[in-house]
Amino acid sequence: MPEMPEVETVRRTLTPLIVGKTIKKVVLWYPKIVATDHKKFIKELPGKRVLKIDRYAKYLLIRLSDNLTIVSHLRMEGKYHLTTSDAPKDKHDHVEFIFTDQTALRYNDVRKFGRMQLILTGTERQVTGIGKLGPEPNSIEFSSDYFIKALSRKKKNIKNVLLDQTTVAGLGNIYVDETLWQSGIHPLSAANKIPSEKAKELWQNINQTIKIATKKRGTTVHTYLDANGNVGGYQEMLKVYGHAGEPCAKCGTELEKIKVSGRGTTFCPHCQVVY
């Protein structure tokens, strides 16, 4: 699933491709991708100009004229690509935005899990899942004091706390495994049992890892591509995710893989302490 660095990379690469263009027509080959009224989506978008693209956590917010926003969540394998309106349709293309210059933005999603919503700009926290999210890494709201206090109130294991998006938004399986390994914290540790100094170390590693991964244009381990069709670069820096059975880069112990709430989780049994 694309996480915060990947979605930010999509935003950055998509912006120069479509900002300033005017939508001429919308085609829904698989209407269920649109979670709001399908007829309204098709009827209201023609004539609207793309003003800019914002992002919060894993959500893209495509800002349009007339105070409208398309909120897009890529989920597992969603991706955008710019083509022409007469280009052959790929079997996994599900939504098409045809612009007045005859270019077309297509949304491609093998699993069809991604979703779009058409909303009034500024209401995203009231009418979409964004309202339930915690602060992003490297934001003013995501302070070390906030994070330490938030963990002290959570009895669930730390892996689940970091994945549930309410304590910190934008992390997924890849960056949770990496930052827990960097911090020496076992993924099954009770969040409220982690010492404050360790929680602060984890906070620092989350911020730093997200910053570096964004600079590296995200992580490609399965199908993630940016809007230009390019892979990310952070996969070359992964130390635990995807390396089960290999020696730990710190101590040489064989990395183990378990399931935590159904999610594959790789860790070092020697370096990562259970709290």
Side-chain angles (χ1 to χ4, degrees):
M1 178 183 291
E3 303 176 32
M4 183 173 157
E6 291 75 53
V7 179
E8 174 60 17
T9 301
V10 171
R11 187 196 71 79
R12 293 180 182 183
T13 53
L14 192 56
T15 292
L17 297 180
I18 68 168
V19 166
K21 295 191 177 189
T22 299
I23 299 171
K24 180 181 179 181
K25 183 181 179 181
V26 177
V27 180
L28 296 182
W29 288 302
Y30 185 72
K32 288 184 179 180
I33 295 291
V34 177
T36 47
D37 187 274
H38 303 158
K39 292 181 180 179
K40 186 176 180 181
F41 195 86
I42 293 172
K43 182 180 179 181
E44 292 205 8
L45 289 182
K48 303 299 185 286
R49 188 163 63 91
V50 181
L51 303 180
K52 65 175 180 175
I53 305 174
D54 291 329
R55 179 198 54 74
Y56 193 84
K58 303 176 186 180
Y59 289 81
L60 288 170
L61 298 103
I62 304 172
R63 307 297 192 185
L64 306 173
S65 56
D66 294 337
N67 207 38
L68 291 176
T69 292
I70 298 171
V71 179
S72 172
H73 197 307
L74 304 176
R75 297 287 175 87
M76 294 292 289
E77 297 192 31
K79 54 182 70 72
Y80 286 99
H81 63 103
L82 190 69
T83 183
T84 57
S85 58
D86 59 352
K89 175 189 175 297
D90 182 89
K91 67 178 180 178
H92 299 302
D93 286 339
H94 303 308
V95 181
E96 179 179 51
F97 303 91
I98 300 173
F99 299 109
T100 53
D101 65 357
Q102 297 309 306
T103 61
L105 181 69
R106 291 183 181 173
Y107 176 75
N108 183 288
D109 193 335
V110 173
R111 301 196 185 189
K112 301 180 180 178
F113 287 166
R115 290 295 180 264
M116 299 179 194
Q117 294 173 268
L118 181 62
I119 65 167
L120 288 174
T121 299
T123 66
E124 49 267 18
R125 287 193 175 275
Q126 287 74 50
V127 299
T128 76
I130 292 175
K132 299 178 182 179
L133 301 181
E136 293 184 332
N138 297 301
S139 66
I140 294 174
E141 295 79 13
F142 187 61
S143 66
S144 59
D145 285 346
Y146 158 81
F147 187 60
I148 292 168
K149 289 177 183 177
L151 293 192
S152 71
R153 297 191 293 266
K154 301 286 187 178
K155 294 181 180 180
K156 294 190 299 182
N157 69 64
I158 186 62
K159 170 109 186 201
N160 282 340
V161 169
L162 295 180
L163 286 178
D164 76 7
Q165 307 299 301
T166 60
T167 300
V168 54
L171 301 180
N173 220 28
I174 296 172
Y175 301 115
V176 169
D177 279 7
E178 291 296 307
T179 55
L180 289 176
W181 175 81
Q182 292 163 7
S183 308
I185 300 171
H186 194 286
L188 292 179
S189 297
N192 63 353
K193 300 295 184 183
I194 297 172
S196 58
E197 64 271 16
K198 269 292 174 185
K200 186 169 185 179
E201 183 180 347
L202 176 58
W203 169 81
Q204 291 171 330
N205 285 326
I206 289 170
N207 285 330
Q208 184 71 359
T209 298
I210 293 299
K211 186 180 293 184
I212 294 172
T214 301
K215 287 182 180 178
K216 292 287 185 179
R217 301 167 59 82
T219 300
T220 298
V221 290
H222 297 296
T223 60
Y224 160 71
L225 300 172
D226 67 20
N228 291 318
N230 298 320
V231 300
Y234 192 78
Q235 61 271 13
E236 299 170 4
M237 301 180 69
L238 296 175
K239 301 299 184 184
V240 288
Y241 186 90
H243 293 285
E246 299 177 20
C248 172
K250 291 180 183 177
C251 72
T253 302
E254 183 177 311
L255 298 174
E256 295 182 7
K257 186 174 183 179
I258 59 173
K259 289 273 186 160
V260 179
S261 296
R263 305 297 297 274
T265 302
T266 307
F267 67 100
C268 174
H270 179 264
C271 292
Q272 293 177 249
V273 177
V274 179
Y275 294 101

